[in-house]
Amino acid sequence: MFSENQKLLKKRPHIILFSGFLGSGKTSLMLKSIDILASAGKKCAIIINEIGDVGIDNRQMRMLDYDVFDLFGGCVCCTMKVTLEATINHLLETQENLDYILFEPSGMANPQSLYPAIVNCGYEESDIENVFIFDVTRIDVYENRMKQLFSDSLDLAKCVVINKIDRVQDKQITTADKMVSARRPDLRVFKMNINEELEPVYKNYLIGGSE
Amino acid sequence: MYQDIFLPIVFELSLSSDQRCLTSEWKKLIHELLQVYLKQFCNDDLYIIGHVKALAVLGKQDYIKFSCSNNSGNIDIQDHGCQEGISEVDVTINSLVANICESESRQMMEKACQALKNSKEISNLKIDIKKNSKPKQKHHHFHNSKVSDCPICNSHNH
Ligand SMILES: Nc1nc2c(ncn2[C@@H]2O[C@H](COP(=O)(O)OP(=O)(O)OP(=O)(O)O)[C@@H](O)[C@H]2O)c(=O)[nH]1
Ligand SMILES: [Mg+2]
């Protein structure tokens, strides 16, 4: 029985959650990550939950020829949670040989609230590869207005990407680094400019880390 | 209390000219339009820009994406493909700014459109802001009190 369950778990696609505040770079990193995974021959499905009546990221993805599953019309709360669960289950049932599900929730969602829906689909919390994108230009917002969101995000993260490093001075990057290690000294941290070619260490982490 | 202060507001604009214009000309115009819109509040501490992003659709697979994600008012631009010589462009703008209500934001957008109407770049420019067809949501939906905390506001608003 145990080994049967394990076999089932093995077949389940990995879930990568791109979490981060509004405008942090979730879509940008997800697009690059899809490219990396696709070049490694992995089959990916994309789920986006965008806030607002009309989505922009989902349209952009479609124009780039990606198949996107929208959780549309608002945030991943109440009814949306059900939709997230249904969407993941739908993917699990209909997409053969799927290797990865990449999920970009709204930048307004607290990642904690997304976990129950994913767990209801048979995943363990620890299965969720939560990549927290820490926009270094937003240190002040996290420090002054969204402390709780920041710590919640860090608590759940499997790794942190401190990005937009091309936009700030070194001392801000150091501050960001310290903010992460003060709460989660164990976390793997990548520092990058997402708009540039991503470094092999991230690529390896992405492919190897969730294997 | 945190993210609930960011209210999503969507604008759908239709830009047209009596002549075919280059992608670069449309890009410049939309960039300017967003700059005028953002300038009205980005220097004021009261307003926090979450993300103001816009997608200008040029063709089936061609677009320009604009993004402003902090109060500097700087706008990033990403191009994908380009359609040369088009006379109409649809632009969707998603504006998430704390402490601005929909009518205020709409007025600012109208002001920006008005300011750009006499653009020298684009001949006989017309800008149409589509009226919102959907009913306004006071806050995001959250009807089922049985489920756990809402990720947007941790149920402070319900
Ligand atoms: N310079 C620079 N710009 C970046 C970097 N990462 C992301 N951006 C830019 O930040 C802007 C917002 O990026 P998105 O990927 O749309 O952010 P998002 O988190 O998906 O935004 P929402 O879905 O609206 O919450 C875009 O213009 C990106 O090009 C980076 O490392 N450096
Ligand atoms: Mg996005």
Side-chain angles (χ1 to χ4, degrees), chain A residues 21-29 50 57 104 107 163-167 192-195, chain B residues 51 53 65 67 69 76 78:
Chain A
F21 187 56
L22 295 167
S24 54
K26 298 178 293 298
T27 304
S28 311
L29 187 63
E50 216 172 349
D57 296 347
E104 180 191 348
N163 69 322
K164 305 198 186 176
I165 55 167
D166 53 307
R167 287 283 170 83
M192 58 172 94
N193 171 358
I194 296 179
N195 288 340
Chain B
H51 198 187
K53 57 183 171 177
K65 195 175 180 186
S67 162
S69 57
D76 297 325
Q78 290 170 281

Side-chain angles (χ1 to χ4, degrees), chain B residues 38-126:
Chain B
L38 289 163
K39 241 195 201 136
Q40 295 170 79
F41 54 83
C42 74
N43 292 322
D44 191 331
D45 281 350
L46 175 67
Y47 308 114
I48 309 161
I49 295 181
H51 198 187
V52 175
K53 57 183 171 177
L55 190 76
V57 176
L58 307 172
K60 245 181 146 178
Q61 297 201 303
D62 306 324
Y63 64 81
I64 316 171
K65 195 175 180 186
F66 301 84
S67 162
C68 171
S69 57
N70 58 49
N71 279 56
S72 66
N74 286 339
I75 299 168
D76 297 325
I77 305 178
Q78 290 170 281
D79 287 296
H80 188 260
C82 72
Q83 285 268 337
E84 294 305 351
I86 48 172
S87 55
E88 270 182 40
V89 178
D90 284 335
V91 186
T92 303
I93 301 163
N94 222 328
S95 178
L96 281 142
V97 180
N99 300 331
I100 288 189
C101 68
E102 169 142 16
S103 61
E104 216 177 341
S105 188
R106 185 162 277 276
Q107 271 173 21
M108 292 180 186
M109 183 55 73
E110 278 164 7
K111 220 166 148 185
C113 292
Q114 203 58 41
L116 270 265
K117 275 213 165 123
N118 301 321
S119 156
K120 288 181 207 85
E121 303 283 331
I122 307 278
S123 150
N124 207 3
L125 172 71
K126 286 203 175 67

Side-chain angles (χ1 to χ4, degrees), chain A residues 21-23 27 50-57 59-60 63-65 73-81 106-110 113 116 135 137-138 141 145-146 148-149 152 164 167 195, chain B residues 1-3 5-6 8 10 12 48-51 53-55 57 59-63 65 69-70 76 78 80 92-94 96 134 137 140-144 147-152 154:
Chain A
F21 187 56
L22 295 167
T27 304
E50 216 172 349
I51 201 95
D53 293 338
V54 182
I56 288 196
D57 296 347
R59 280 197 195 173
Q60 178 195 12
M63 292 178 93
L64 292 171
D65 250 355
C75 61
V76 195
C77 69
C78 52
T79 51
M80 281 294 139
K81 255 190 209 167
S106 153
M108 299 214 295
N110 186 324
S113 312
D135 174 350
T137 67
R138 291 295 204 166
V141 175
R145 313 202 50 131
M146 294 180 189
Q148 187 63 46
L149 175 68
D152 288 352
K164 305 198 186 176
R167 287 283 170 83
N195 288 340
Chain B
M1 204 274 296
Y2 52 98
Q3 299 123 297
I5 44 178
F6 292 93
V10 176
E12 291 193 84
I48 309 161
I49 295 181
H51 198 187
K53 57 183 171 177
L55 190 76
V57 176
K60 245 181 146 178
Q61 297 201 303
D62 306 324
Y63 64 81
K65 195 175 180 186
S69 57
N70 58 49
D76 297 325
Q78 290 170 281
H80 188 260
T92 303
I93 301 163
N94 222 328
L96 281 142
K134 293 200 177 174
Q137 276 179 4
H140 57 277
H141 50 273
F142 186 79
H143 323 284
N144 187 347
V147 294
S148 53
D149 280 355
C150 166
I152 305 267
N154 281 349

